[in-house]
Amino acid sequence: MLGRVLPRYVRVNTLKTSLDDVITYFKRQGYANKGKARSIEELVDFAQKSGKFFLQDLHIPNLLVFPPSTDFHNDSLYTSGHLILQDKASCLPALLLDPPVGACVIDACAAPGNKTSQLAAIVQNKGKVFAFDLDTKRLATMSTLLLRAGVTCQELANQDFLKVNPCDPKYQKVSHILVDPSCSGSGMPNQMRVLTDEAGSEKEERLQALSAFQRRALSHALSFPSVQYVVYSTCSIHQQENEDVVKDILQQHPDFGLVNVLPSWPLRGLDTFAGSECCLRASLTETLTNGFFVALFKRRSPEERRLYEELKQSDLHQEEASNRENENKDLVISDSSVQSKRKSEQISQDSASSTKKKRKKKKRKTDQS
Ligand code: SAM
């Protein structure tokens, strides 16, 4: 387990080329196509090897898997934006959000933009991808990356997403939002040591600040009037930034529920609230990726909302009933403990009186003799 290494994942940019064309290209370059992977174990075996061959991923279409030592930084397909070097787990949010061709989408915290370019590929450069980021430098890098990837449907803004007005007519048609906010990065291999090196309270404070921002960003996304789907992701392994955020947001936004995404994915959200199994987790040991977390929110239809309220009420009733039952049980227990106390008092009284009687009898016998 410990010796596992990440393979080289390569996403085919369908804005510039097709999977078939890329496969043909690599075959011409002398790489053997080993077909589509059937299991994560097969990928694990594969990642131990070196040589000129590749597999197609079993979960993500348009994702090729090469041995870890393969370097594409100077490959003409990479430098021309036909290929994007992106970890498998980080392909999940856009894939699961899956906006239809021509949709209006927001990428809330977008730079350096790998997910933005993936979203643009999914909507086929039609419609609109509004992308926000606070960091000017990262946004400049993103601009270059998107240009190279052939993205044309984007509108970049060096802006705080929390200050974007959801009621601005410009965002009236936004139906899908991707929220991939700043996080501890604890799922990234080089971040794990940094984080374990941090002093406990320092780490706690940092996690609290990050998760407060994550809650605000996610909540803000859910407030866009036409939004139907919002995907939330982090490259963190901490419950505070993942399940805890999702749980609180679900409580604050009863209009939204979780979608049970990618049922074949082996690693699910930590069992910390009802429905947490709808979320995905990713890790080097279980899924051969960086550590990652994804949850997909869907706006409930009026019918779903009605059912949800009914269920909630009946759950509340049940909870109330079971609380009352427990209260009664407590009473029963205290009653019986009182009874048993009484009983034991009775027993000791009985035995005390019988002892007294026995003593009296013995005394009488002695007196007689
Ligand atoms: N989604 C990006 C990708 O796949 O390439 C990675 C995003 S990174 C995890 C988080 C980004 O959020 C950083 O670039 C950071 O500058 C940006 N950010 C932080 N606070 C923000 C805010 N209030 N509004 C918009 N962007 C913000």
Side-chain angles (χ1 to χ4, degrees):
M1 285 285 233
L2 281 174
R4 282 192 178 176
V5 268
L6 278 179
R8 163 66 66 199
Y9 290 109
V10 175
R11 179 167 65 80
V12 173
N13 177 13
T14 53
L15 288 176
K16 286 214 153 171
T17 183
S18 67
L19 182 65
D20 287 348
D21 284 355
V22 170
I23 289 177
T24 309
Y25 167 85
F26 279 122
K27 285 208 290 208
R28 278 207 204 111
Q29 299 276 316
Y31 287 88
N33 178 7
K34 300 280 185 187
K36 189 168 173 173
R38 278 155 299 178
S39 65
I40 292 178
E41 288 65 41
E42 196 178 342
L43 291 180
V44 172
D45 278 352
F46 183 81
Q48 309 296 322
K49 296 175 181 153
S50 58
K52 285 191 96 174
F53 38 80
F54 64 93
L55 278 170
Q56 290 162 57
D57 186 61
L58 68 158
H59 297 107
I60 317 267
N62 302 315
L63 191 72
L64 297 178
V65 193
F66 290 81
S69 54
T70 326
D71 186 3
F72 289 114
H73 285 93
N74 296 319
D75 191 285
S76 63
L77 277 197
Y78 169 68
T79 53
S80 61
H82 288 63
L83 300 179
I84 313 275
L85 304 181
Q86 188 172 350
D87 178 56
K88 173 173 171 174
S90 97
C91 295
L92 287 168
L95 179 84
L96 298 174
L97 186 64
D98 195 25
V101 175
C104 247
V105 184
I106 285 181
D107 191 347
C109 302
N114 272 345
K115 297 182 191 76
T116 317
S117 87
Q118 196 186 351
L119 284 171
I122 295 171
V123 299
Q124 296 181 8
N125 252 343
K126 297 172 183 138
K128 196 64 143 182
V129 181
F130 297 103
F132 302 96
D133 206 283
L134 264 184
D135 189 311
T136 325
K137 262 196 188 165
R138 284 168 73 97
L139 212 62
T141 311
M142 173 167 175
S143 212
T144 314
L145 189 145
L146 295 187
L147 188 69
R148 195 169 68 186
V151 177
T152 54
C153 64
Q154 82 280 22
E155 191 174 312
L156 301 193
N158 189 187
Q159 197 179 336
D160 181 347
F161 173 64
L162 299 178
K163 297 202 176 122
V164 176
N165 178 6
C167 296
D168 187 327
K170 196 171 167 183
Y171 309 119
Q172 200 183 335
K173 289 190 190 149
V174 169
S175 56
H176 294 69
I177 302 184
L178 190 149
V179 183
D180 184 41
S182 298
C183 70
S184 61
S186 52
M188 307 299 281
N190 53 347
Q191 282 293 313
M192 265 176 206
R193 239 203 57 233
V194 177
L195 220 84
T196 39
D197 285 353
E198 270 180 35
S201 60
E202 206 179 312
K203 181 177 142 188
E204 241 354 275
E205 259 175 44
R206 195 175 149 220
L207 286 180
Q208 265 180 22
L210 284 166
S211 73
F213 169 66
Q214 290 151 358
R215 278 177 177 79
R216 289 178 72 200
L218 182 51
S219 192
H220 193 60
L222 296 177
S223 71
F224 281 70
S226 302
V227 77
Q228 297 303 313
Y229 289 92
V230 173
V231 73
Y232 172 72
S233 59
T234 71
C235 54
S236 163
I237 55 169
H238 295 293
Q239 184 187 319
Q240 290 104 307
E241 299 180 87
N242 299 330
E243 289 85 358
D244 290 359
V245 171
V246 170
K247 182 185 172 195
D248 285 357
I249 294 299
L250 283 171
Q251 276 170 0
Q252 288 162 24
H253 295 265
D255 271 357
F256 287 85
L258 287 180
V259 181
N260 188 21
V261 285
L262 216 58
S264 65
W265 190 263
L267 198 57
R268 316 303 297 188
L270 300 179
D271 186 11
T272 56
F273 64 92
S276 62
E277 70 282 0
C278 295
C279 310
L280 299 188
R281 271 182 170 253
S283 74
L284 180 60
T285 50
E286 305 288 326
T287 57
L288 205 65
T289 63
N290 287 328
F292 211 78
F293 176 87
V294 194
L296 179 64
F297 293 78
K298 177 187 177 287
R299 189 186 288 279
R300 294 192 161 105
S301 66
E303 178 59 13
E304 284 167 341
R305 179 74 201 267
R306 196 183 56 74
L307 278 172
Y308 168 73
E309 291 300 338
E310 269 177 27
L311 274 174
K312 215 168 82 177
Q313 282 307 319
S314 82
D315 273 1
L316 277 179
H317 285 319
Q318 262 177 24
E319 207 175 302
E320 225 172 86
S322 87
N323 280 346
R324 248 187 257 139
E325 201 185 343
N326 281 339
E327 273 168 24
N328 287 341
K329 260 189 203 147
D330 282 350
L331 276 180
V332 172
I333 290 166
S334 17
D335 277 356
S336 62
S337 59
V338 168
Q339 272 171 16
S340 71
K341 200 175 164 212
R342 278 193 198 130
K343 258 188 200 159
S344 61
E345 275 170 4
Q346 188 71 43
I347 289 166
S348 39
Q349 275 173 9
D350 288 352
S351 65
S353 66
S354 93
T355 316
K356 265 184 200 164
K357 271 179 199 162
K358 272 182 197 162
R359 268 198 212 130
K360 268 186 187 169
K361 218 175 166 184
K362 205 176 169 190
K363 195 171 180 284
R364 244 185 275 133
K365 261 190 178 174
T366 327
D367 289 348
Q368 276 169 12
S369 60

